[in-house]
Amino acid sequence: GTGSNILSALQDLFWLLKSKVEKQLQIISVLQWVLTFLIMGIACTLILMYILCTDCWAIAALYLAWLVFDWNTPKKGGRRSQWVRNWAIWRYFRDYFPIRLVKTHNLLTTRNYIFGYHPHGIMGLGAFCNFSTEATGVSQKFPGIRPYLATLAGNFRMPILRDYLMSGGICPVNRDSIDYILSKNGSGNAIIIVVGGAAESLNCTPGKNSVTLKNRKGFVKLALRHGADLVPVYSFGENEVYKQVIFEEGSWGRWVQKKFQKHIGFAPCIFHGRGLFSSTTWGLLPYSKPITTVVGEPITIPKIDNPSQKDVDFYHSIYVDSLIKLFDKYKSKFGLPETEVLEVN
C-alpha cells in the first residue's frame, strides 16, 4: 500500500511538472512572436548597421548584397519553408490561447481564393497561427491549397524580418504581389487579407464584434480581375486577447493615430495584456482567451478584366451578407449570445 501511494504521488508530481513546463513553453512561444511583431524589424536594422561599423563589416555587406539581389522575391510569392511552418513552437503558440481552425466547406484546387479575415484585433494572432503555420492543420483541412497571409509591404524592407516572414508564406499586401500569386502561380492559391487593417485595429476591444468593411472594396475588385473566389473568415475571440485605450473621434489621440495610419501604414495602439510572470499584472503577453477562426463558404466570382463600380458594389454586398450570416450561424457555438449583432462600419 505504501509503495503504491508513493508511486501515485510521483506520477502526480510528474504530470504537474510536465504541465508547468508546457505552460512556460507556451508563454515563451507567444512572447517571441510578440517581440517579433513589435521590434524585430527595427532591431535587425540597427544590428546590421552596427556590424557595418565593426571588423565583421564584410558579413553585413554580403547580406546587403544578397538583399539587393533578392529584393523582389516577396512580390513573387516569397520563399516559404515547410520546415519553419511545422516548428514545434507554433503548437505551443496554438495551445496558449488555444487557437482553432474550423472548416465549413471544401475548396477546389482548380480555383484561386481571396480570404477576407475579420476582425484585425491588435496583432492578428489567429490569422498568423492558422495560415502562416501548420499548427492548426490548414494543409490537412484544405489539401492542395497554398495559403498566403498578406501584411504591410514595409515589413519586407526590414532585413532578416523579411526572410522570417516569407518562410511562413507571408506576402506583401500590395497589387504587384497579389497579381503575381493569382495570375502566375497556378491555381490552389489562397491570399488571406485582413480587410479592416489598421483602421479596424483602433476599435478592437474585448466584448466588441465590429468590422471595418463598408468602404473596403479593393479586395473585391482584385477578385473580379482574377476570377478568384471570395471566402469570408471570422475569428471569434480575436478582440478578447488584449485590452486597448480607445480614443474618441475628434480627440488628439485619434488624430495622432490617423496621421500615423495615413503616412506610415499602421496605427499606434495603446494596449496591454498580462505580465510575463503573472496573469494579474499588465504586460505585453496576450491574455489566454480562445480564438476560433471559422472559414466560410466560398463565393463564386466571375473573371472581369475591367470590373465596373456596379460590379464591385454587387459582389461586395454579397460578401458582406455572407460574412454576417457566417457570424450569426456560429456566434452561439463560441460563447456569444444569440442577440449579439456584428457591427459593420
Side-chain angles (χ1 to χ4, degrees), residues 48-103:
L48 195 67
M49 291 172 63
Y50 171 75
I51 293 174
L52 279 171
C53 300
T54 68
D55 293 339
C56 298
W57 62 269
I59 297 174
L62 284 172
Y63 179 80
L64 289 173
W66 160 252
L67 193 62
V68 172
F69 174 79
D70 195 54
W71 191 253
N72 289 322
T73 298
K75 298 177 184 178
K76 298 180 178 180
R79 187 170 47 247
R80 73 174 55 217
S81 166
Q82 286 302 116
W83 175 66
V84 173
R85 287 175 61 90
N86 281 287
W87 277 355
I89 196 172
W90 306 132
R91 295 193 290 274
Y92 289 112
F93 182 98
R94 172 199 66 197
D95 293 340
Y96 172 85
F97 296 94
I99 296 174
R100 290 177 57 208
L101 180 65
V102 176
K103 169 185 173 180

Side-chain angles (χ1 to χ4, degrees), residues 8-26 92:
S8 177
L10 287 174
Q11 287 176 335
D12 291 341
L13 179 61
F14 171 78
W15 289 113
L16 180 62
L17 290 173
K18 183 180 179 182
S19 176
K20 286 186 175 181
V21 169
E22 287 184 346
K23 188 61 180 177
Q24 293 305 313
L25 289 172
Q26 291 169 13
Y92 289 112

